[in-house]
Amino acid sequence: RKSTWGDPACLKALRNVVGNKCWYSEVPLEGADPNVDHFHPKGRVKVIDEKFEPTGETLSGYWWWGFEWRNFRLAAMHANQRRVDEETNGGKADYFPVLGARAVEPTDYSLCIEQIIPLDPCSISDVALLWFDPNGVPSCSSWRAKPSDAEIFRVKASIWLYHLDKGEIKDKRRFHMEQIYLDLKNANTHYVLWKTIPNNQISKNSFDTSIATLKLKLADSSDFVSAKKCALRAATAEFEWIFDFGLL
C-alpha cells in the first residue's frame, strides 16, 4: 500500500485538489491518517437494500480500476471505514449501490454510465444536492428547485454511506456556519454605514476587507465549505448584497 495508494506523492497530489480534507465530509485531515478511498470499491461490493440494510450478498469489485487515479477520493476514516455502535452508524467501506447494471471489465472509467446512487464529490451537480441546516444536519437541497424522489434517495443514501450525520461533525459544521453568519453581520454593518454616510471611505474599505475575508473562508480548500455556503444562501434574504459581490 505504501508504494501504491499510500505513496506520499499520491497523497500530495490528492491534497492539492481541494486541500488536506476529506472529500466526502470536508473534515480537516491535519493530524489524522488520510484514507485513499476507491470510489468504486476495488475488491468487493456489499449489497444493500432500499432501506440501507445489508442483504448479505457480495459482488466482485471493480478491480481493474484499482490503479485508476480518477477512482481515488481522499477520505477521513469515519467516512471510509464502517462504524456501527449505539451512537453511530456510517462509513462507506465496501458498499456501492447502483441502479441497474454495473460496469464490467474492462470498461474505461470515462465511459462508465452506471446510475450511481452515492453522491460523487467530484461531480458538481452531485455536490449541489447537499444541504445543511443551521445545526449542521445534512439533507437534500431544495434551495433553488424542488428535488426529485430519486435525488432525495441519493442524498439519504450518501448521508448513511459517508457518515455525514455523525454527531461531532454536525457540531463542527454548525460552528463554522455560525461564524460565517457573524462575518456577514459584521460586513453588513460596514455596508450600511458606507451606503448611508456620504463619502464614507473608511466603512467602504472595511467592507472590502470583510468581503475578502469571507471569500477566503469560502474557498474550495476551506473546511466545511459546503455547509458555509448553505449558511450564505440562507442569509441572502437578509443581506441582498451577497450576490452583488461574488460570494455566490
Side-chain angles (χ1 to χ4, degrees), residues 132-137 169-187 214 217-218 223-235 238-239:
F132 300 99
D133 74 9
N135 290 315
V137 177
I169 296 176
K170 288 188 291 186
D171 290 342
K172 291 178 181 178
R173 280 196 205 105
R174 182 181 69 242
F175 171 79
H176 284 277
M177 295 174 79
E178 289 172 347
Q179 292 301 305
I180 283 294
Y181 181 72
L182 290 175
D183 289 340
L184 289 170
K185 287 187 68 176
N186 178 62
L214 277 163
K217 292 185 177 182
L218 295 165
D223 303 336
F224 302 107
V225 67
S226 295
K228 294 175 185 176
K229 288 183 177 179
C230 287
L232 205 69
R233 292 172 185 130
E238 185 176 358
F239 310 117

Side-chain angles (χ1 to χ4, degrees), residues 20-32:
N20 190 28
K21 65 178 182 179
C22 175
W23 291 11
Y24 298 119
S25 66
E26 298 194 295
V27 169
L29 294 175
E30 285 81 1

Side-chain angles (χ1 to χ4, degrees), residues 70-108:
R70 290 171 293 184
N71 194 33
F72 297 163
R73 308 290 185 271
L74 193 63
M77 292 180 66
H78 81 270
N80 188 39
Q81 299 181 23
R82 197 77 193 151
R83 294 289 186 272
V84 179
D85 55 39
E86 293 180 356
E87 297 181 355
T88 190
N89 183 348
K92 180 170 174 281
D94 296 321
Y95 298 108
F96 194 73
V98 303
L99 292 175
R102 294 180 181 272
V104 296
E105 181 202 357
T107 304
D108 184 87

Side-chain angles (χ1 to χ4, degrees), residues 13 16 29 41 65 67 73 86 97 109 112 137 147 150 164 191-192 206 209 230-231 234-235 238 243 247:
N16 285 341
L29 294 175
W65 288 337
F67 296 97
R73 308 290 185 271
E86 293 180 356
Y109 200 82
C112 178
V137 177
L164 298 181
Y191 179 80
V192 171
S206 296
T209 299
C230 287
E238 185 176 358
F243 289 107
L247 295 177

Side-chain angles (χ1 to χ4, degrees), residues 201-226:
Q201 188 65 36
I202 293 176
S203 293
K204 179 181 182 298
N205 292 343
S206 296
F207 178 72
D208 287 346
T209 299
S210 296
I211 294 297
T213 299
L214 277 163
K215 287 186 175 183
L216 285 175
K217 292 185 177 182
L218 295 165
D220 287 342
S221 58
S222 179
D223 303 336
F224 302 107
V225 67
S226 295

